[in-house]
Amino acid sequence: METSDTRFKGFPNADNVRLSETIIVADADYLDDVAFRFTVQGERILGRRVPKADLSQWAVDAALDGGLRADGKSHTTQVLLVHEKANSQLRNFSPSVYATELNAQAFTDPHLGEFLVNDVAVGDMVGKDDYILDVVRLVLGHSEVRRLIVIPNAEEGTLYAELQSALHGAATDQRVTIFTMSAMPGGSFCQEQLAYSVMDALGITAEELEHHMG
């Protein structure tokens, strides 16, 4: 990744924020935990070491699952990793350290364009769920955002239900996609399986799993 001049800088409370056409906002601690689970299961089933997940590959996969397509145009995607202040890095992804390797960094996919990565540490005044919900509500008010991709921890707490409520009846042409590990009650948004993007980022293919499980 390369240094980027684009930062969120208190994103939900910022005035006149310039947003990209595709926004990915993720509970990074939850995402990291999912990667850990697949690493443990993958090594047990495959009988080989599973390397850390490629964060850039995961972001590209998430953008594709969220509707972004290579159409010959220049696209910009913003990736916001929300995490507890106590966690200074991802343990199951590479690159991993928020302060030096992820925040205000960028990479370019040859087909989908530029990805701008930022992190937000929460915990003192606001929790992750509230922060993510604030981001979603703000993004819904920006017409320049065509795709909103959200990775919440839908296994615990009430964030998923709160997202359902916030998105219900929202007057928007945006495509909103929520990633979960299992099928959840629907709403006025698309649903995608988080497992696919995480497995691909870990280098685990469905064919390899089928071979070892068959």
Side-chain angles (χ1 to χ4, degrees):
M1 292 191 183
E2 301 176 352
T3 302
S4 167
D5 292 330
T6 302
R7 296 174 179 263
F8 278 82
K9 295 181 179 177
F11 178 61
N13 301 313
D15 295 325
N16 301 317
V17 177
R18 185 182 67 178
L19 299 176
S20 300
E21 62 177 288
T22 303
I23 303 288
I24 300 174
V25 54
D27 180 333
D29 300 323
Y30 174 69
L31 179 64
D32 203 28
D33 179 66
V34 170
F36 172 73
R37 286 186 249 168
F38 274 109
T39 298
V40 173
Q41 293 172 3
E43 291 183 343
R44 177 177 58 82
I45 294 171
L46 304 177
R48 66 169 175 83
R49 178 181 176 275
V50 173
K52 289 187 176 182
D54 183 329
L55 186 65
S56 299
Q57 184 61 56
W58 174 80
V60 168
D61 290 342
L64 286 168
D65 287 345
L68 182 60
R69 293 292 179 267
D71 54 9
K73 300 178 182 178
S74 177
H75 297 283
T76 302
T77 299
Q78 287 171 298
V79 182
L80 181 60
L81 303 172
V82 185
H83 61 95
E84 294 289 348
K85 186 177 181 179
N87 297 327
S88 61
Q89 67 182 74
L90 293 161
R91 298 187 180 278
N92 301 283
F93 281 86
S94 179
S96 61
V97 181
Y98 292 118
T100 58
E101 297 179 342
L102 292 173
N103 194 51
Q105 300 297 306
F107 70 91
T108 300
D109 178 81
H111 305 292
L112 299 183
E114 188 176 32
F115 284 71
L116 309 173
V117 182
N118 286 273
D119 84 286
V120 172
V122 298
D124 290 339
M125 301 297 293
V126 64
K128 281 186 299 183
D129 289 0
D130 288 337
Y131 192 94
I132 291 171
L133 194 60
D134 283 346
V135 171
V136 169
R137 286 170 173 157
L138 174 63
V139 168
L140 288 176
H142 284 260
S143 60
E144 67 266 40
V145 180
R146 299 178 58 191
R147 288 166 292 273
L148 171 60
I149 298 164
V150 187
I151 298 87
N153 181 352
E155 299 180 42
E156 300 176 349
T158 61
L159 179 57
Y160 186 84
E162 292 178 284
L163 287 169
Q164 278 185 304
S165 178
L167 295 168
H168 180 70
T172 175
D173 294 329
Q174 295 163 325
R175 170 173 170 159
V176 180
T177 306
I178 296 182
F179 286 63
T180 59
M181 283 297 292
S182 58
M184 302 287 290
S188 52
F189 49 84
C190 304
Q191 283 193 52
E192 289 289 342
Q193 285 279 341
L194 179 59
Y196 299 140
S197 56
V198 173
M199 286 174 58
D200 188 49
L202 286 166
I204 300 173
T205 66
E207 292 75 17
E208 187 181 17
L209 285 174
E210 290 174 2
H211 174 74
H212 283 82
M213 295 177 69

